[in-house]
Amino acid sequence: MKKQTIIAALLLATTMSHGKTTPNRTETPANFEGYLFAYFEGRGDAKQQEHLRFALSDDGVNWRALNENRPVIASDTISESGGIRDPHILRGEDGRFYIVATDMNTAKNGWNENPGIVLLSSDDLLHWKHAKINLSKDYPKHFGDAYWVWAPQTIYDRKAKKYMIYFTLQRNDRKSLITYYAYANKDFTGFESEPKQLFSAKYGSIDNDIIEKDGTYHLFYKGNTKDENGKEREYLFKEVQYII
């Protein structure tokens, strides 16, 4: 969360022709021509920071920023706080594109309360529909004390045939970082129902990433391990396996 520049997700390669994107799930990876990163810059203390940006690569190693590294979408047009962080982009099973991001503006609010998620969807990577979720307001009975809703990501659940959004939650007591999940509704404008707990690590977990391989789901996360003085240790990545 505190890196100056965070590239939150690698979009599965996209067939591109004359500046337009043609989603087609019948195509094989050999037909794809590039990779797309969704990312943000800075901590909101400079012009055009904490906005959505894109970068393109032919090989997944060498990258070039699109739009001269200017935002492709201004955060104050899609978010409650005026900023976004941790954007994650997914090419869906239906050929559409889905983005979720932390609704957060550090220039305005610092690292204080930010209980929201921004959702976007598009058919062509050019025209986007957007919506917002504020966990504390939308689900006050069990999440009225939501303090942080961080680093959301989306994965397609083939068994449920739905898109699952998962994220880290910290409540007002500031005692834990627990991973929660909920299925997105059909319009990708909100949750179908109240989020449920997915995973609780001993020292907390943030920046979760779920990868499916041959029917096994692998959950990677950053452990929030601290030393005896309460200082956070270096990043510690762990893996938990779920078999569906």
Side-chain angles (χ1 to χ4, degrees):
M1 286 290 298
K2 296 185 180 180
K3 292 181 179 178
Q4 186 67 15
T5 302
I6 296 181
I7 298 179
L10 172 63
L11 172 70
L12 338 164
T14 314
T15 303
M16 306 190 74
S17 175
H18 304 296
K20 294 184 178 180
T21 301
T22 309
N24 186 342
R25 296 302 294 176
T26 63
E27 295 170 350
T28 64
N31 299 124
F32 297 158
E33 295 182 5
Y35 299 89
L36 182 70
F37 267 127
Y39 67 100
F40 77 96
E41 287 188 347
R43 296 186 177 181
D45 53 355
K47 188 177 181 181
Q48 294 189 337
Q49 292 194 346
E50 292 186 334
H51 295 278
L52 180 65
R53 288 171 159 82
F54 284 159
L56 198 63
S57 173
D58 296 324
D59 56 12
V61 177
N62 301 289
W63 296 85
R64 59 187 182 279
L66 300 183
N67 199 31
E68 297 181 347
N69 198 36
R70 295 191 300 268
V72 295
I73 298 178
S75 295
D76 55 5
T77 66
I78 59 174
S79 67
E80 186 173 288
S81 67
I84 65 103
R85 299 175 70 87
D86 317 311
H88 175 269
I89 188 166
L90 173 75
R91 180 172 184 159
E93 296 295 302
D94 53 4
R96 303 193 75 223
F97 301 92
Y98 299 97
I99 293 178
V100 288
T102 306
D103 192 333
M104 186 174 180
N105 186 325
T106 55
K108 180 180 177 182
N109 302 316
W111 300 96
N112 296 320
E113 184 178 8
N114 37 78
I117 294 175
V118 174
L119 302 89
L120 301 103
S121 59
S122 174
D123 293 318
D124 58 10
L125 291 174
L126 298 174
H127 305 93
W128 294 89
K129 296 180 180 179
H130 70 274
K132 300 184 290 289
I133 296 173
N134 185 310
L135 209 62
S136 63
K137 293 178 181 178
D138 296 342
Y139 301 96
K141 183 176 180 180
H142 294 127
F143 295 94
D145 62 344
Y147 188 77
W148 287 343
V149 178
W150 274 8
Q153 294 198 185
T154 306
I155 188 172
Y156 183 69
D157 184 333
R158 297 181 187 279
K159 185 176 181 180
K161 297 182 179 180
K162 299 177 182 179
Y163 293 95
M164 188 183 90
I165 299 173
Y166 54 99
F167 55 89
T168 292
L169 170 69
Q170 184 172 92
R171 297 180 183 271
N172 284 333
D173 59 15
R174 312 296 301 279
K175 292 182 178 180
S176 61
L177 292 167
I178 296 175
T179 303
Y180 279 76
Y181 78 97
Y183 287 106
N185 59 24
K186 292 183 179 180
D187 296 327
F188 207 75
T189 56
F191 295 150
E192 275 191 346
S193 58
E194 188 175 87
K196 298 178 181 179
Q197 182 174 314
L198 178 66
F199 179 69
S200 179
K202 182 177 180 180
Y203 297 106
S205 59
I206 61 175
D207 301 328
N208 302 273
D209 189 23
I210 298 176
I211 303 295
E212 184 270 335
K213 176 64 175 176
D214 298 329
T216 299
Y217 290 83
H218 305 266
L219 169 62
F220 297 85
Y221 67 92
K222 174 191 173 292
N224 193 42
T225 309
K226 294 180 173 60
D227 62 20
E228 61 275 9
N229 298 315
K231 183 178 180 181
E232 188 172 332
R233 297 182 186 273
E234 295 296 322
Y235 276 14
L236 174 63
F237 290 93
K238 297 184 178 180
E239 174 190 1
V240 178
Q241 293 188 3
Y242 294 90
I243 300 178
I244 305 300

